[in-house]
Amino acid sequence: MTARRFPNPGWAWPSGGRDLLLKAALLPQPEAALDHFARWLAAQDLDSAVFADHRLLAAIAERHGAALERFAEYPRLKGIQRKLWTESRMRVHANLPILRALAQGGVPVMLFKGAARVAVNPAAQRQRAHQDVDVLVRPEHMAAAAQILIAEGWQTARGETALCAVARAPTARAINFHDARDGDIDLHRSIYHGPNFHPARDAAFWDQAQPADFFGQPVLVPRPEERLAITLAHGAWSAHAHSDWLVDAAELIADPALDWPLVEAIVQDRTMAFQARIGLGYLGQEIGLPLPAGLPDRLAALPHPGWLAARGALLMARPEDDLTPLQRGARQVWMRLAQRRQRAPRGDAPPLVLALARPARGALAGQGAGLTAPIPFPGPGRHRLTLELAFTAPATPRRVELELNSPTRHIARFRIYSRARTETEMRVRLKVQVSLTEADHDLILQSCPGGLVYGGDSPARQAKYRALPFRLLRAAFG
């Protein structure tokens, strides 16, 4: 038996209301499941349920159907299910054209996570909400896939220019794209996060993939054993946001043809025993799903990544509602460290310069503030560029994103951190080595949003993410 005490894997299991909803969706005995749902309704006002709850409520409504009529909330539950289904279909409708465009452009795609579940089992769409579609492409197709998305009018969630998105695609693990409607595609070069990379198994994805149909569009999906490992790894990474990954895992476990020795081999090769113990431990011990005899002991005996990594995995896997403010902060730190480790070697990728802006002192001479500024072209060759900038920071900590581009390509990216909590005039100095060609004669320094910003967004979001005007004080090549 796994205890729910830190630092055991059970510490990360869902608790409270999330635990009750999961048991209502998954417990093998229908009456026991409905009893847990009644307990959740007794303690929870349906109007205050958050989106993560809605995702599980859809699964509960689909599983129990008319048996829920005993509850006064039944009509509203059906309404929540219909709302999620309608929103998911709108997103699917917006995403299908780009899946077709990728296929027509010679880029094979593989779906995973929730989209793969629906592609294999279309009946699951009524209980599986879609926020995005996770798409894997071969590493050598990543830049071409990004170009197709941009040509179709899609934009990255970061708000960067098309030149920058295409330039960083070959080394990015994933890039999130949106279109002007409801489209949301997570384009991946690699499915797993850094600690779980395994070159041989990653290469075998495509050889072992299975054909499937996603609303009429032919796609590939990973084999069931890999889909379970993906669900456990990604679920433990993003459990702070929702818990229906456990519902996905339960459906895979229910398949009698699942090759459990292969699952264990994947878990071992990908050094993800701790994440597997979190997900499978909950489903086996708390839900009562049948797991192979001795599996918990075999997983516990597998090599683990170390003391610090195990505690980081616990923070990543525990639902955010159950974290203290200190634990939330520690989780953010661990996530940033893990994201840095999982980036591919930059190789010939354009440089990214990080800098911290400081309050300006005295009067600053320079051109008027704007979103772009021309940079004198020094001629072809390798140069060291020094930039001095000033900008008025809003009263919120934020990133300021700048790009150096020529008419045909992205050359360098700058990420400036402002810690101002009142409106403050800030100054920063940037230095970068760049290689220029004759075609780079019209250099432009451009301010970009820190994320997608729409006209109807709140003033607070616009202050945090909109492109920020800057003043170029000095630009010198050495």
Side-chain angles (χ1 to χ4, degrees), residues 139-225:
E140 61 268 26
H141 291 154
M142 191 70 175
Q147 288 173 330
I148 290 170
L149 280 150
I150 289 166
E152 293 291 324
W154 290 58
Q155 187 176 3
T156 73
R158 289 187 180 183
E160 65 207 306
T161 65
L163 292 172
C164 180
V166 172
R168 74 178 180 92
T171 58
R173 189 189 72 86
I175 303 178
N176 183 217
F177 283 89
H178 293 256
D179 77 349
R181 301 168 296 165
D182 298 291
D184 192 339
I185 293 281
D186 261 344
L187 182 68
H188 290 255
R189 178 180 54 83
S190 172
I191 288 181
Y192 287 91
H193 297 98
N196 307 132
F197 288 163
H198 189 276
R201 289 206 177 273
D202 289 349
F205 263 140
W206 296 94
D207 296 333
Q208 299 168 354
Q210 300 177 344
D213 183 279
F214 188 68
F215 298 95
Q217 175 62 33
V219 295
L220 297 172
V221 297
R223 62 190 304 171
E225 295 76 16

Side-chain angles (χ1 to χ4, degrees), residues 13 37 77 103 144 153 234 262 283 301-302 313 372 386 428 435 462:
W13 292 349
F37 187 52
L77 291 172
H234 275 261
L262 178 56
L283 292 171
L302 291 177
T372 62
T386 301
V428 65
S435 295
Q462 295 198 37

Side-chain angles (χ1 to χ4, degrees), residues 14-223:
S15 61
R18 194 70 57 81
D19 180 48
L20 291 173
L21 287 177
L22 280 164
K23 287 174 178 173
L26 295 175
L27 282 177
Q29 303 82 13
E31 283 304 316
L34 288 170
D35 177 65
H36 281 78
F37 187 52
R39 290 167 55 189
W40 183 84
L41 287 173
Q44 175 77 44
D45 179 0
L46 198 58
D47 289 336
S48 63
V50 297
F51 183 63
D53 298 331
H54 287 181
R55 295 168 70 120
L56 293 175
L57 288 170
I60 293 167
E62 183 63 17
R63 178 195 175 181
H64 295 288
L68 296 170
E69 290 180 356
R70 70 184 71 176
F71 302 109
E73 294 86 355
Y74 175 68
R76 295 165 66 197
L77 291 172
K78 295 299 291 183
I80 289 172
Q81 184 187 28
R82 284 193 294 269
K83 176 177 179 292
L84 290 178
W85 181 84
T86 301
E87 291 175 348
S88 295
R89 288 306 301 264
M90 290 172 64
R91 293 188 181 96
V92 167
H93 181 73
N95 291 330
L96 279 175
I98 201 64
L99 296 180
R100 287 193 288 268
L102 289 168
Q104 292 166 1
V107 178
V109 300
M110 188 184 305
L111 305 187
F112 62 102
K113 293 171 63 176
R117 180 186 173 192
V118 172
V120 173
N121 176 22
Q125 63 182 287
R126 293 185 61 84
Q127 59 173 289
R128 186 56 161 88
H130 283 288
Q131 285 295 100
D132 55 21
V133 171
D134 289 282
V135 173
L136 177 71
V137 300
R138 295 178 185 272
E140 61 268 26
H141 291 154
M142 191 70 175
Q147 288 173 330
I148 290 170
L149 280 150
I150 289 166
E152 293 291 324
W154 290 58
Q155 187 176 3
T156 73
R158 289 187 180 183
E160 65 207 306
T161 65
L163 292 172
C164 180
V166 172
R168 74 178 180 92
T171 58
R173 189 189 72 86
I175 303 178
N176 183 217
F177 283 89
H178 293 256
D179 77 349
R181 301 168 296 165
D182 298 291
D184 192 339
I185 293 281
D186 261 344
L187 182 68
H188 290 255
R189 178 180 54 83
S190 172
I191 288 181
Y192 287 91
H193 297 98
N196 307 132
F197 288 163
H198 189 276
R201 289 206 177 273
D202 289 349
F205 263 140
W206 296 94
D207 296 333
Q208 299 168 354
Q210 300 177 344
D213 183 279
F214 188 68
F215 298 95
Q217 175 62 33
V219 295
L220 297 172
V221 297
R223 62 190 304 171

